[in-house]
Amino acid sequence: PGRPVMILPPLLAFGGADALPPMAHTLSECYMHFSLAEQRFPDLLWSPEHFATGFLPKAAFYRIVAASIGWCYNTTAGFDPLLGRNRCDVAFGCSRLSFSLTTGQPVIRVTVRQGKPLEIIDRLRLISRSVLTRFGNLRLRFLIAVPGATNSYVELDTLSNTSSASVMYIDGIPGATTLQTLGTLLGPWLPPPHPPENFDVMLSYRWGPTDSELADALYDWLSATHVGNRAMVVFQDKRRLQDGERFDFAFMRAMLSSRVCCPIISLDALARMVFLDANSPVDNVL
């Protein structure tokens, strides 16, 4: 009594393998590789044999699926997740994606069916970070196949933090490949090199259990929504702020360069404002 009970693992373990439609091959795929923290792997370029090494408890997979289904219900109306044996289809706002557990490997394959890969990866990071707090010794890496290469994969976090002047040789791609070229090939999965100059929507909210979750849901939904032939560009502080950037300056700059400012008004957001006076510290909530 009083303790949460998870009923999802039995549903996944005994669900029919034919419950979902066949997965068509798509370039919008990434791989979530799990390992123990002390296990060593290449920094940037991976090959298929590296996928066989690592560690992924079934419980961690089930929890990631359960959290993703919860987020699906939280952000998507009229869409029911589909479950199969070690597979599921979910939606994050307007985005659609599928999970499948790779047999014999500590890897979850993620297929993006609709939406921006970068925003989906961002949401999966947040979900996985919460889940992995229960598995303190697990490490997660996101891997993407290099287009045109022969069985070569790139680890996304390392790619984002490697000098653009670096040069490498990749099987199947003639000559040397610069990091800039690699970034162009994998553009949809990577954050832009510079923050956007303008935003369609800026979200202003009070950090807390209720408002933060609503802001997260709005960000996922709006980022997958198109204006004309392009996706909306949305400002949410924890997604857009750069390391070391001053929050107050970035907040004001985003507000001035946004077409729409969307303040989330709640009792939590207003509570601190009741006691504001001339000597109160600056409150960056609109």
Side-chain angles (χ1 to χ4, degrees):
R3 297 184 62 185
V5 177
M6 179 174 288
I7 63 172
L8 183 62
L11 290 176
L12 285 175
F14 300 109
D18 299 327
L20 300 183
M23 291 179 107
H25 177 70
T26 171
L27 291 179
S28 297
E29 286 185 349
C30 74
Y31 300 86
M32 300 169 65
H33 178 274
F34 296 82
S35 66
L36 298 175
E38 60 268 19
Q39 291 181 291
R40 294 290 176 260
F41 293 92
D43 288 334
L44 181 59
L45 286 177
W46 288 46
S47 58
E49 56 264 25
H50 295 121
F51 281 53
T53 307
F55 180 63
L56 172 58
K58 277 289 187 72
F61 171 71
Y62 292 142
R63 287 183 180 275
I64 289 173
V65 170
S68 298
I69 289 175
W71 191 248
C72 175
Y73 280 122
N74 199 32
T75 60
T76 311
F79 180 91
D80 291 325
L82 299 176
L83 295 176
R85 188 179 298 277
N86 295 330
R87 280 181 51 192
C88 73
D89 282 8
V90 294
F92 296 162
C94 294
S95 300
R96 303 287 185 268
L97 61 152
S98 301
F99 292 102
S100 61
L101 186 61
T102 306
T103 303
Q105 295 182 339
V107 172
I108 300 173
R109 185 177 73 171
V110 180
T111 303
V112 178
R113 300 189 180 280
Q114 178 180 317
K116 294 194 293 185
L118 175 61
E119 307 300 345
I120 290 173
I121 286 281
D122 195 19
R123 171 51 49 191
L124 288 175
R125 286 186 199 280
L126 295 174
I127 288 174
S128 301
R129 190 178 303 157
S130 174
V131 169
L132 293 184
T133 57
R134 297 173 177 269
F135 304 88
N137 202 33
L138 278 185
R139 179 175 176 183
L140 167 63
R141 296 172 175 87
F142 285 92
L143 303 167
I144 307 294
V146 179
T150 305
N151 293 327
S152 293
Y153 302 83
V154 171
E155 204 268 296
L156 281 183
D157 288 338
T158 304
L159 178 61
S160 300
N161 297 319
T162 304
S163 167
S164 60
S166 301
V167 174
M168 64 204 74
Y169 292 89
I170 303 175
D171 289 343
I173 298 180
T177 301
T178 65
L179 206 63
Q180 184 176 6
T181 301
L182 197 56
T184 301
L185 292 173
L186 301 174
W189 297 96
L190 298 173
H194 305 288
E197 294 184 0
N198 298 288
F199 299 93
D200 294 298
V201 180
M202 174 194 176
L203 300 177
S204 176
Y205 63 103
R206 178 80 67 198
W207 279 40
T210 304
D211 292 10
S212 292
E213 187 171 297
L214 176 57
D216 286 348
L218 278 173
Y219 182 91
D220 282 4
W221 183 269
L222 293 172
S223 295
T225 302
H226 281 68
V227 180
N229 59 355
R230 64 173 182 82
M232 275 193 182
V233 182
V234 184
F235 179 90
Q236 184 189 11
D237 49 11
K238 68 180 181 182
R239 311 286 189 98
R240 295 294 184 179
L241 292 179
Q242 307 294 311
D243 290 341
E245 188 175 12
R246 283 193 55 170
F247 177 85
D248 50 355
F249 286 174
F251 189 88
M252 289 186 288
R253 184 169 59 249
M255 181 174 60
L256 292 172
S257 59
S258 296
R259 297 175 63 187
V260 175
C261 290
C262 176
I264 297 175
I265 301 173
S266 68
L267 290 177
D268 288 343
L270 298 176
R272 192 186 301 179
M273 298 181 182
V274 174
F275 305 102
L276 289 179
D277 57 35
N279 297 318
S280 298
V282 174
D283 189 342
N284 289 306
V285 173
L286 290 178

